[in-house]
Amino acid sequence: MADGDDGSSGSGTWTARKAGRAETLHVRNCRIEVLSGPDAGRVFTVGVPLIQIGRTGVEVTLADRRVSSMHAEIRLGEDGYRLRDLGSTNGTRVGGLRIVEAFLEPGSLIGIGDSVLRFTPLSTSVELPLWEEARYGSLVGATPVMRQLFDRIDRVAATDSTVLITGETGTGKELVAEAIHERSARARGPFVVLDCGAIAPSLFEDHLFGHEAGAFTSARRSAEGVFQAASGGTLFIDEIAELPLDVQPKLLRSVETRSIRKIGSTQGITCDVRVVAATHVDLAEAVNRKAFRPDLYYRIAVARLHLPALRERMDDVPLLAQHFWDTLTAQERGPLPESFLDWASRHRWPGNARELRNAVERLLAGHALPDDAPPEATPTPPPDAPAPSVDLAVPFRVAKQRVIDEFDRRYMTALLAATDWNISTAARVAGLDRMSVYKLIGRLGIKRRGGS
């Protein structure tokens, strides 16, 4: 938006730059009046990009017993004001109609529980600082929503608060967690990852807290869990929504007391750990479904960071694609083909930045792109490129698997050497999850030089 524009077009956010000052993101103040219900007469004036309405720990707190703990949210964006029900028990209504999601007009009446609220955008706004660069750690983005996120990450990193990172799969939540760790006072300590999506339900407690020898049949020796391993550093709990309900109070206790007790032990162990959690699931909805404990939610969501989907920041696609193009190979290749960028600007990227990275990697490898991609975007292999040998003495499937295994082995060996066997970094570079990297290492029998 041009300098001096006050956002009067009706958007919830806009950028502006005044003479001699850095560019800032403006978030419009909104007034929410309670017209009827137990809180009738109360007025809330809020100036944040995400306004949650409910009974506990939200921006608009109501005493109405028919309102869920986290009932609904209003997200302010460049496209307007988006109201979304958070899986509440009694639903959310606009103009008398029950909605899942709807855009709000000024003066809209919102019905939740036994209460009716009136939503009114104001002419005043709150200024939020923007990060001056289009990069933060391994994160890339020049759009205002990303640069504001970078500034928030930097401020959160300077604290020791627990953090909840939300966003769709493939948006880069682990990169945010790593950036928080690297910019924090704990940067010299360990950064330990627990991927809840890759653990059997019966093994969560053991992974978190460890066990003593003899604690169960196969426990021949004592083992530490991720809490103990992360002491002095950061514990990143990925996909925390997968944590079983019976384990959640034990995690809550450890986060609050910074101490753990191994399975089979009566002794507590102090663990100086900062917890950063992430999920692609809407935890507010999970709380309303009683699939996630509200007390654990409030404890880990002291600071909340949300990563927007790539389709919500399409202006970043060329920058991000060029970043992947430059970093996926050591060879100097220059700019991306214009035909690829034209296609990328039209694609909706349901897989987010991870899907874009994979598309660029396929382009580099000379593979076919998705059906909606322009044929000319895919380069052809050089005519003198060596072809793998063919052994007609073995069945087709066996011969094909041998070629694939050889490529996988060469790729993974080079990748692990380049990343000094940092599995998290290797997984990020390869566009894989960490468990897939571990499985490839095991299947291909790759061993670190000097290791067993």
Side-chain angles (χ1 to χ4, degrees), residues 283-413:
L283 281 190
E285 289 187 357
V287 169
N288 286 333
R289 295 196 316 269
K290 302 189 185 307
F292 200 85
R293 290 177 61 105
D295 49 2
L296 179 58
Y297 172 83
Y298 295 126
R299 188 62 189 83
I300 62 173
V302 174
R304 291 180 293 177
L305 299 171
H306 179 74
L307 270 163
L310 187 54
R311 64 183 174 276
E312 296 171 359
R313 55 180 187 110
M314 289 295 290
D315 288 347
D316 278 335
V317 168
L319 179 67
L320 199 54
Q322 186 66 49
H323 166 72
F324 292 141
W325 179 259
D326 293 338
T327 56
L328 281 169
T329 175
Q331 180 179 347
E332 181 64 40
R333 291 182 178 269
L336 270 161
E338 286 295 330
S339 54
F340 178 88
L341 290 174
D342 288 343
W343 165 73
S345 67
R346 297 191 302 271
H347 189 61
R348 297 306 296 166
W349 301 109
N352 294 299
R354 182 179 297 157
E355 182 189 359
L356 175 58
R357 184 191 183 286
N358 290 342
V360 173
E361 188 171 10
R362 293 181 65 83
L363 185 70
L364 286 166
H367 294 167
L369 289 167
D371 293 339
D372 60 344
E376 64 270 20
T378 305
T380 56
D384 57 347
S389 59
V390 176
D391 185 356
L392 298 178
V394 298
F396 170 77
R397 289 185 178 180
V398 176
K400 180 180 178 181
Q401 190 60 49
R402 286 178 180 175
V403 173
I404 293 172
D405 286 348
E406 178 58 25
F407 169 80
D408 289 351
R409 186 176 291 105
R410 291 172 59 191
Y411 182 94
M412 292 304 299
T413 300

Side-chain angles (χ1 to χ4, degrees), residues 36-58:
S36 64
D39 297 280
R42 292 190 67 187
V43 177
F44 300 84
T45 301
V46 189
V48 292
L50 180 65
I51 304 170
Q52 288 191 328
I53 306 169
R55 285 194 293 113
T56 310
V58 293

